[in-house]
Amino acid sequence: MGCTSQLSHHRAIRLFMMVLISAGFALAIGEASAQTDATSPTIYRLNAGSGFQQGCFPPCLCPLLQGANVRGTFTFTPKGSDGLFNRYTVDDVTWIVSVGDRELLVTGSGTYTIGGEFAVQQQLVLDLKVGDDPVQHFDSGLAPGSAQFPDINVTISIHGQVCFDTVFLVDASPVPSDQIHPYALLPESTFQRGCFRPASVRSAQSSRSAGPSLWSTSDRVRSSSSLRWST
């Protein structure tokens, strides 16, 4: 194959990849704009009023009580109604708790319920892994509902805020669709695994990334058809 043919071949591949990437962007944007659909997941973001507390609550009088800011997102998907309550699934909880000079990653999922016969009530139930701790069950119980729904403002805890407990104040709102930005890796992105300086062993693997993914310097690499960041 001559140089001209090789150049044309590479141009065709690049054009094909750009078409795929553009299609991925359009699909992600379409998904974001469809957040108001009755069955589509909505991306929620924690507001500045969210918080984390761990320590002693009444009636215990031990002095330990630690408070911290929380930021992050989760997805919120309608799961039907029983006539009195509307039910939702909460997935992809990804929060960061800033405790002093440390940051704890919080992940998990659960359910949210809102409705009632005489007064609006809500209940948020989440199974969360906080930092290196094992997964624990957090529950708000039936609490007064938010008058500003779909905004959510509710407190969840492990022990009902009695004596030593871990508590999250969840103050969250849907992310506007114009603030959701899809990302995809370009064909020039690469993956490598092996030894790097100061080690002297050569890199064991090196290859081009043929599709959208997350580049990682560790042995574990995650991939996704689209990445969505909120601002």
Side-chain angles (χ1 to χ4, degrees):
M1 182 181 293
C3 292
T4 302
S5 297
Q6 289 181 350
L7 183 59
S8 299
H9 179 68
H10 288 309
R11 285 177 176 172
I13 292 176
R14 182 178 294 275
L15 178 60
F16 177 69
M17 292 300 299
M18 292 305 296
V19 169
L20 288 180
I21 292 171
S22 298
F25 268 70
L27 177 60
I29 293 172
E31 290 176 349
S33 64
Q35 285 195 114
T36 55
D37 185 273
T39 59
S40 296
T42 298
I43 300 175
Y44 269 68
R45 177 174 54 206
L46 296 181
N47 298 320
S50 296
F52 168 85
Q53 289 183 313
Q54 188 174 60
C56 282
F57 295 81
C60 296
L61 300 177
C62 47
L64 178 62
L65 184 62
Q66 183 179 44
N69 295 324
V70 186
R71 66 187 188 275
T73 59
F74 57 88
T75 59
F76 198 72
T77 307
K79 283 300 179 184
S81 172
D82 62 6
L84 286 179
F85 289 91
N86 294 322
R87 306 186 186 281
Y88 303 82
T89 57
V90 178
D91 295 302
D92 303 321
V93 171
T94 307
W95 300 342
I96 298 294
V97 176
S98 299
V99 182
D101 58 353
R102 297 186 304 144
E103 289 193 334
L104 300 177
L105 175 63
V106 180
T107 58
S109 61
T111 61
Y112 178 80
T113 304
I114 186 168
E117 186 172 4
F118 301 107
V120 177
Q121 294 179 299
Q122 62 178 340
Q123 184 172 13
L124 178 63
V125 179
L126 295 177
D127 292 318
L128 300 177
K129 179 174 177 60
V130 181
D132 295 328
D133 292 342
V135 174
Q136 293 179 297
H137 188 74
F138 290 78
D139 195 337
S140 68
L142 275 176
S146 172
Q148 304 299 322
F149 185 81
D151 292 345
I152 297 172
N153 191 301
V154 67
T155 300
I156 57 175
S157 64
I158 300 174
H159 302 301
Q161 301 182 69
V162 174
C163 288
F164 188 84
D165 205 354
T166 302
V167 177
F168 284 95
L169 172 58
V170 180
D171 183 345
S173 301
V175 179
S177 60
D178 62 355
Q179 295 183 18
I180 299 173
H181 306 291
Y183 283 78
L185 294 183
L186 297 175
E188 290 79 9
S189 300
T190 64
F191 163 77
Q192 292 182 331
R193 183 169 65 186
C195 289
F196 296 85
R197 294 181 179 179
S200 60
V201 182
R202 292 184 179 180
S203 176
Q205 297 181 10
S206 179
S207 63
R208 287 284 180 180
S209 174
S213 63
L214 289 177
W215 184 82
S216 173
T217 57
S218 69
D219 287 344
R220 296 180 298 171
V221 176
R222 295 182 291 125
S223 64
S224 174
S225 59
S226 65
L227 303 178
R228 291 181 288 186
W229 286 12
S230 66
T231 57

